Amino acid sequence: MKNSIFNSLLVAGIVAMTVGCSAPKSQEKEETTEEMAKATIASEPFGELPTGEKVTLFTMTNANGVEAKVMSYGGIITSFKTPDKNGNMDDIVLGYDNLQGYLETTPYFGAIIGRYGNRIAKGKFTIDGVEYDLAVNNIGNHLHGGLAGFDKVNWNVKEVPSEKGVALEFKRTSPDMEEGYPGNLDVTVVYTLGDDNTLEFDYTATTDKNTVVNLTQHSYFNLNGSKSDILDHEIMLNADQFIPVDETLIPTGELRPVAGTPFDFTQSKKIGVEISAENQQLAYGGGYDHCWVLNDDPKEMMLAATAYEPNSGRAMDVYTTEPGIQFYSGNFLDGTITGKNGVVYNHRYGFCLETQHFPDSPNQESFPTTNLAPGETYHTTTLMKFYIK
Ligand code: BGC
C-alpha cells in the first residue's frame, strides 16, 4: 500500500518528520535567530470515514513558522496560518474544526477538485462518438467532479523531498467510469510549502482511455483571518476578458472584454466596489462567480491574480500555467455554516481563486481543450505567494 509509511506513523501517534533535522517542532520554536528553523512535516490521526478508512492530518511548517494543515481526505487544507503586519498569526482559510464537519456538508472548503473543476453543461459530453453521462449535482449541471469527486476520497499521501521547503504528494487512481468519466486516471498532486512563504500545487495525470481532466484547488481565503467579510479585499486579475455565463453558470461561449464592466480587475480594486446584487451583469448568485481569461501565454507560469487585505496587511499573488481563473466571491455562503472556532461564515466570508481551464470546455469547441489521451501527460502548476504589504 502506497501510504503504508503513514499507517505505521499513525501507530506511533503524532510523529514529527523533519527535513534535514530531527528536532521536534516544540524544540524548533526555542531555536534562536542565529539558527534558522527547519521546515517540518508532522502527522496525526484525524478520524475515520464511514468506510472505516483512516484519515491523517499533516502539519507542514516552513522555516518562518508559516503553517499549513492538510488532510488525506480530499487533500483538504484545513488551516493555513500566516503573520499579519504586526506579526500575529491567523488562520486565513475557511473550514471546519474536525472531520465530521467536512463529511456532513461542505462547499468544497480547501479541497482538490477533479476530475473536472467547474461545470459541465447538463453533465454530458461526447468523446469518439460516445456520449458520457455524469452526475448532475448543481442546478441541472455537473459541478466539481460530481457527487463523490476528488474532494471526497481519501488520498495516498507521502512526504517527498523538496529544495524549496516541505512537500506532500497526494496520489490515487480514479477508476474507469468513476462518476461517469472514462479511463483509469492516475493522478498525482504535490503540495509544497516553500520557505519563501509560497504554497505550490503541482498536478499530473495520465489515462488509459480518451477522457477529460481539469484539476484545481478550492481553498476559500479570508486574509483578515475571518474577522469580517471579504468585500474590502483588493483583487487584481491579469485578464482583459471574462467568460459570461447563463443563469445556471454555464458559459455562453463568448469571451467578453472586461473594460467598462464590473469584471474589470486589471487594476487592483476592492471586491465590494461593484458587486451590488442589483447589478444585473453579475447573473445568478449575485456576485462574482466567473472564469477570467488570463492574458499571456498559458504554457508559462504567469501572474494571474493578486489579493490584498488592508487591515491585516496580508497579500497574496497567484501564478499559474492555466489559461483561466475562477474568481468566486463566496456568494453562496449565507451564515448557515459555523466553521472553525465557532465563526459563522456569513455572506461572502471567503473568496476562491481557482486556476483552471474554462468551464464546460468539453462542450465548447472554441475553448482550449481539456481532453487527455493515453500516452499524454496532463501537467499544470499553480503557485501562491503570501506576504505583507
Ligand atoms: C463555483 C461556485 C460554487 C462553489 C462551491 C465555485 O467554484 O464556481 O458556483 O458555489 O464553487 O460550492
Side-chain angles (χ1 to χ4, degrees):
M1 206 174 155
K2 283 175 193 153
N3 64 349
S4 56
I5 173 173
F6 284 114
N7 291 341
S8 51
L9 290 176
L10 282 179
V11 177
I14 300 173
V15 179
M17 294 182 294
T18 58
V19 174
C21 168
S22 60
K25 223 170 102 190
S26 54
Q27 250 172 274
E28 279 161 33
K29 285 205 175 117
E30 288 158 25
E31 280 175 7
T32 61
T33 44
E34 290 137 44
E35 198 187 334
M36 200 178 166
K38 299 285 195 302
T40 60
I41 298 183
S43 71
E44 62 191 290
F46 199 56
E48 231 177 76
L49 300 179
T51 54
E53 287 169 85
K54 304 255 187 284
V55 175
T56 306
L57 182 71
F58 300 90
T59 302
M60 308 169 84
T61 310
N62 79 2
N64 313 313
V66 167
E67 180 203 90
K69 286 187 183 282
V70 186
M71 64 166 147
S72 54
Y73 178 71
I76 293 173
I77 299 177
T78 61
S79 146
F80 186 51
K81 289 187 181 145
T82 69
D84 68 5
K85 61 186 173 195
N86 301 314
N88 299 319
M89 301 296 273
D90 275 314
D91 185 355
I92 60 165
V93 295
L94 272 50
Y96 294 102
D97 286 319
N98 52 41
L99 178 63
Q100 200 51 36
Y102 293 95
L103 297 181
E104 278 164 14
T105 174
T106 169
Y108 305 93
F109 285 148
I112 296 173
I113 304 293
R115 293 191 189 187
Y116 199 96
N118 219 316
R119 292 168 174 82
I120 297 180
K122 301 189 169 42
K124 289 187 192 301
F125 65 95
T126 301
I127 293 182
D128 304 330
V130 179
E131 186 178 82
Y132 291 93
D133 270 307
L134 308 171
V136 165
N137 58 338
N138 189 259
I139 46 171
N141 300 314
H142 177 83
L143 175 68
H144 293 338
L147 298 170
F150 291 0
D151 58 301
K152 293 187 183 63
V153 294
N154 209 23
W155 293 73
N156 295 310
V157 192
K158 68 171 188 191
E159 184 180 0
V160 288
S162 165
E163 285 177 4
K164 299 176 185 166
V166 277
L168 285 173
E169 178 190 83
F170 296 77
K171 247 182 173 338
R172 75 180 289 262
T173 298
S174 168
D176 187 25
M177 297 310 288
E178 185 178 49
E179 295 295 303
Y181 291 96
N184 291 297
L185 189 76
D186 288 325
V187 187
T188 306
V189 184
V190 178
Y191 288 5
T192 304
L193 175 63
D195 287 334
D196 54 353
N197 299 349
T198 54
L199 206 45
E200 184 183 272
F201 306 103
D202 190 79
Y203 309 85
T204 311
T206 54
T207 181
D208 60 3
K209 277 189 194 155
N210 288 340
T211 192
V212 296
V213 193
N214 190 24
L215 306 177
T216 191
Q217 222 286 338
H218 211 293
S219 285
Y220 284 67
F221 293 97
N222 183 319
L223 300 181
N224 198 23
S226 299
K227 295 187 184 81
S228 54
D229 66 31
I230 48 88
L231 297 181
D232 275 347
H233 285 60
E234 294 167 20
I235 297 278
M236 186 286 294
L237 299 173
N238 180 18
D240 294 336
Q241 295 175 298
F242 76 104
I243 302 179
V245 289
D246 69 14
E247 64 286 353
T248 70
L249 294 180
I250 294 297
T252 59
E254 184 196 351
L255 305 184
R256 192 181 293 172
V258 296
T261 77
F263 298 87
D264 190 349
F265 283 94
T266 50
Q267 303 295 317
S268 188
K269 75 175 181 206
K270 281 193 196 296
I271 297 174
V273 175
E274 292 173 285
I275 204 173
S276 146
E278 293 84 57
N279 196 322
Q280 293 306 309
Q281 293 182 70
L282 293 176
Y284 169 82
Y288 298 106
D289 194 358
H290 297 77
C291 191
W292 271 254
V293 179
L294 293 170
N295 299 331
D296 310 329
D297 181 356
K299 297 279 175 295
E300 301 292 327
M301 235 5 200
M302 64 180 165
L303 181 66
T306 65
Y308 167 61
E309 198 285 312
N311 291 306
S312 62
R314 289 192 184 88
M316 65 190 273
D317 295 343
V318 181
Y319 296 83
T320 191
T321 57
E322 289 279 27
I325 191 164
Q326 181 88 2
F327 166 42
Y328 170 54
S329 54
N331 312 317
F332 298 113
L333 296 175
D334 59 3
T336 50
I337 291 179
T338 300
K340 285 175 282 187
N341 302 311
V343 175
V344 174
Y345 295 146
N346 284 317
H347 199 205
R348 300 176 180 147
Y349 245 58
F351 67 90
C352 303
L353 288 169
E354 304 154 55
T355 51
Q356 56 190 239
H357 270 56
F358 304 162
D360 198 33
S361 298
N363 297 307
Q364 305 267 357
E365 289 210 342
S366 61
F367 289 179
T369 186
T370 48
N371 289 354
L372 184 71
E376 293 176 347
T377 300
Y378 169 98
H379 181 223
T380 73
T381 308
T382 292
L383 179 126
M384 296 181 169
K385 180 162 176 58
F386 297 86
Y387 57 100
I388 302 297
K389 228 164 92 170

